[in-house]
Amino acid sequence: MLPQVEASAGKIREGRAKEMLHVLDRLRDGLVVSCQAAPGDPLENTDTIRRIASSVVAAGAVGLRVNSPEHIAAIRRDADLPIIGIQKRYSKGAIRITPDFASAAALAAAGASIIALDCTDRAWPNGEPWRSIMERIHRELELPVMADIATLEEALAASAAGADLVATTLHGYTEQTCKNHAFNWSLLGDMVAQIRVPIVAEGHISSPEEASRALSVGAWCVIVGSAITRPATIAAGFIHAMNKRAIVNPVIGVDIGGTSIKAGLVDPAGEVTLITQVPTQASGGREVIAAGLCEAIEQILSDAKEQGVQPFGLGIASAGAIDAQDGSVFAATDNLPGWAGFQLRGFAQERFNLPTWVVNDAHAAVLAELHFGLGRNLSDFVAITLGTGVGGGVVCGRKLLSGRHGFAGSIGHHVIREGGRECNCGRRGCLEAYVSTAALIREYKERGGSITEGQPVDDAALAWKISQLAATGDPAASGAYQALGEYLAEGVANIFNLFDPEAVLISGGLVEGQPQFVTRVGERVAALLHFGRKRKPCVRAATSGRLAGVQGAATLVFEAQR
Ligand SMILES: [Zn+2]
């Protein structure tokens, strides 16, 4: 089981060899806690270290790693478990672990069960070679040696020389490896594969998950130090993470729609201030739309400057399919003539000299729901926006799918009626042909509905009026909503079959003030779905509102900042 121990034990008394094997067995699959204080730390005190050791032993640590004979002797009075003894020695900023045999002998006399030895191939002025120290520990002290190394080559050399355990301790602490500040999993894997003596994972193990993973990779035991025994290091980690969050600056979010361009200053919690809105004037084409965009952004920049705020970047939501790679408009409908092919990201970045991200407007609404709405507590969901068209997005594992060209989640253009009504995408029977502002007006009129007093001028206003009538129980308006609900349920049931999400969230002008509509769609979906009563599909009204596009575009900038 432990061939190297058996080999080195062959040179020493039989009874002593058995004891060595027993010590190593006690460490197997366990947590060893390194109980040390940083030089100058208020905890650097023998009695304090002894108390820390008692505390972790009471918790179930199978062994301890302790610096200096004094600390070992103090702890040994309370504990009979294996103690890995080390003597740290500093010279010109470099650290050496147990640099000579005299230190090893003192650790042994104080009660160490294993001596850890620096087996890196660094030069140590006038020092004893580690090979001769290791040989004398075996022969004169009759104790096992743990080789602390930084590289695979050093590990192989140490095990060939007779080390009883080899530990990754010094990876990240030698000149050759000092660029690494995380545990080196491939080093551990290589050592386990190529070395027959027990391999110990030590150095930069900072969480219970990492410790457990090290055993899965094949470590004999795991040594954890700072993450358990150094309050200063632990507190500094908390403070660092909190400061990092605090320096996330507000950003400008913009939403370019068919009728208006909305913009605002968005803070990391999603709150929008300095809101401004300019007409899109889409019929004027690309230049006019871009001019409106610049006007809105300039307004926010000037207002922010007055408040002494410097926005970190620019997030732009736009109608049309957005190329995720370069932030250009891959395709756009006639709602934004001439918009397709526009290098939107490049244009805005150059014009305002701010880091810029671009996203489809429906996708932006989904991001707003993911970060600031009901999606905060969900991992997998699909969001649908009902308005002039039907937009949507799919979130999987808290990531929004964008697709190669930005078309992922085009829920409005999946067919629910083969050969059905004409859709503006060129096909027939798409969900969008049945559930939209225009569809609501059509269903209303087909049921004899008409609006005479104060005729609304556009479809959005007319749909709003129908929605108000439905809330008062007007038969034609209620009937129109019921018809839309039937169609929408077909589409939403398809979504549940495709993705089995935790929830489908519905937003947009058509569902505002229509909570019963969303509830009825959910009930209908449950009736349509295979095992629907058992699955209890969750269909809810989204919580993000009219500024969802502005908020969602901003989240891309926050992500990049973090
Ligand atoms: Zn379509």
Side-chain angles (χ1 to χ4, degrees):
M1 186 165 78
L2 303 170
Q4 201 72 49
V5 166
E6 280 161 5
S8 57
K11 296 171 208 150
I12 54 186
R13 288 183 298 115
E14 199 184 327
R16 192 74 191 125
K18 276 201 178 125
E19 281 172 41
M20 281 171 59
L21 283 170
H22 180 59
V23 165
L24 267 54
D25 259 343
R26 287 180 70 182
L27 299 180
R28 184 153 205 183
D29 291 338
L31 173 71
V32 176
V33 178
S34 181
C35 296
Q36 304 174 48
D41 189 283
L43 300 186
E44 194 190 27
N45 165 283
T46 303
D47 191 53
T48 305
I49 297 289
R50 183 181 70 82
R51 285 166 184 269
I52 292 172
S54 293
S55 174
V56 299
V57 169
V62 299
L64 300 167
R65 181 170 161 122
V66 181
N67 181 42
S68 85
E70 188 189 353
H71 290 179
I72 292 171
I75 291 167
R76 188 46 93 206
R77 286 200 292 275
D78 312 324
D80 77 335
L81 80 182
I83 296 177
I84 300 161
I86 64 169
Q87 180 63 62
K88 280 185 173 171
R89 190 73 50 80
Y90 297 88
S91 172
K92 290 178 186 154
I95 186 181
R96 192 98 193 159
I97 291 168
T98 321
D100 47 46
F101 178 73
S103 312
L107 296 170
S113 334
I114 297 170
I115 306 294
L117 188 61
D118 197 318
C119 296
T120 61
D121 57 14
R122 294 173 295 171
W124 187 255
N126 311 315
E128 292 176 40
W130 61 256
R131 281 183 174 80
S132 80
I133 307 174
M134 185 186 289
E135 193 269 328
R136 289 186 69 188
I137 294 170
H138 280 147
R139 183 163 45 85
E140 299 178 35
L141 306 178
E142 298 188 323
L143 286 179
V145 172
M146 174 184 292
D148 288 346
I149 57 83
T151 66
L152 180 62
E153 292 68 36
E154 292 163 355
L156 291 167
S159 78
D164 305 283
L165 310 99
V166 185
T168 57
T169 318
L170 290 168
H171 183 85
Y173 296 94
T174 62
E175 205 174 314
Q176 198 184 342
T177 62
C178 65
K179 286 198 178 72
N180 301 326
H181 301 293
F183 187 78
N184 188 326
W185 295 101
S186 62
L187 174 63
L188 176 64
D190 288 345
M191 286 167 66
V192 167
Q194 297 182 37
I195 295 172
R196 295 181 68 200
V197 298
I199 302 302
V200 178
E202 181 177 11
H204 295 125
I205 299 269
S206 58
S207 69
E209 292 71 28
E210 286 181 345
S212 167
R213 179 179 168 192
L215 291 185
S216 303
V217 172
W220 183 266
C221 63
V222 180
I223 304 182
V224 180
S226 309
I228 294 175
T229 58
R230 292 195 180 175
T233 307
I234 299 166
F238 275 89
I239 292 161
H240 178 69
M242 291 158 75
N243 286 345
K244 229 169 109 184
R245 181 172 176 80
I247 59 161
V248 174
N249 292 313
V251 307
I252 295 178
V254 189
D255 185 3
I256 306 171
T259 52
S260 70
I261 299 171
K262 301 186 198 88
L265 190 71
V266 187
D267 77 9
E271 192 172 329
V272 188
T273 53
L274 309 183
I275 297 160
T276 188
Q277 186 164 337
V278 301
T280 310
Q281 295 179 292
S283 58
R286 185 188 291 185
E287 258 97 84
V288 176
I289 303 170
L293 170 70
C294 292
E295 187 191 332
I297 295 169
E298 275 156 12
Q299 182 65 50
I300 311 275
L301 279 171
S302 120
D303 291 351
K305 198 175 176 188
E306 259 178 44
Q307 297 191 356
V309 175
Q310 173 59 48
F312 171 81
L314 195 53
I316 303 176
S318 169
I322 304 300
D323 188 313
Q325 314 282 329
D326 65 2
S328 67
V329 182
F330 177 78
T333 65
D334 292 342
N335 288 339
L336 294 177
W339 202 233
F342 186 38
Q343 291 292 333
L344 180 52
R345 179 179 184 171
F347 167 81
Q349 198 151 268
E350 192 164 314
R351 175 71 186 260
F352 295 101
N353 196 27
L354 283 172
T356 302
W357 284 263
V358 183
V359 62
N360 163 265
D361 55 356
H363 284 178
V366 180
L367 288 171
E369 200 59 33
L370 173 66
H371 292 280
F372 309 124
L374 291 178
R376 277 178 303 180
N377 303 317
L378 299 172
S379 167
D380 305 303
F381 69 93
V382 175
I384 307 176
T385 305
L386 307 178
T388 317
V390 177
V394 178
V395 170
C396 187
R398 297 200 60 76
K399 290 261 178 287
L400 173 71
L401 301 183
S402 89
R404 169 64 190 91
H405 306 98
F407 284 102
S410 298
I411 286 149
H413 299 292
H414 87 281
V415 172
I416 58 160
R417 289 287 185 275
E418 193 267 329
R421 286 180 191 149
E422 268 182 29
C423 179
N424 59 19
C425 76
R427 292 178 81 186
R428 285 181 166 275
C430 289
L431 180 66
E432 184 168 304
Y434 292 86
V435 184
S436 66
T437 310
L440 181 72
I441 295 166
R442 186 183 54 231
E443 296 286 350
Y444 175 66
K445 286 181 176 161
E446 277 176 15
R447 284 166 177 75
S450 65
I451 289 165
T452 44
E453 62 173 301
Q455 279 292 347
V457 284
D458 60 28
D459 278 6
L462 189 51
W464 174 241
K465 187 77 193 160
I466 296 169
S467 138
Q468 285 179 313
L469 286 170
T472 65
D474 174 88
S478 304
Y481 261 97
Q482 195 160 352
L484 256 61
E486 294 283 324
Y487 294 125
L488 182 58
E490 296 281 348
V492 173
N494 292 342
I495 290 168
F496 273 100
N497 279 337
L498 281 173
F499 301 107
D500 194 14
E502 292 168 82
V504 168
L505 307 176
I506 304 177
S507 64
L510 282 184
V511 291
E512 274 173 32
Q514 301 290 336
Q516 324 85 319
F517 173 72
V518 176
T519 308
R520 274 202 307 273
V521 170
E523 286 164 1
R524 182 73 192 131
V525 169
L528 289 171
L529 272 185
H530 201 199
F531 305 116
R533 298 289 170 206
K534 193 172 175 187
R535 286 164 70 174
K536 297 188 181 69
C538 174
V539 180
R540 302 272 297 275
T543 51
S544 50
R546 292 177 177 278
L547 291 170
V550 172
Q551 293 172 302
T555 64
L556 296 176
V557 192
F558 293 132
E559 288 297 304
Q561 251 189 109
R562 288 188 183 117

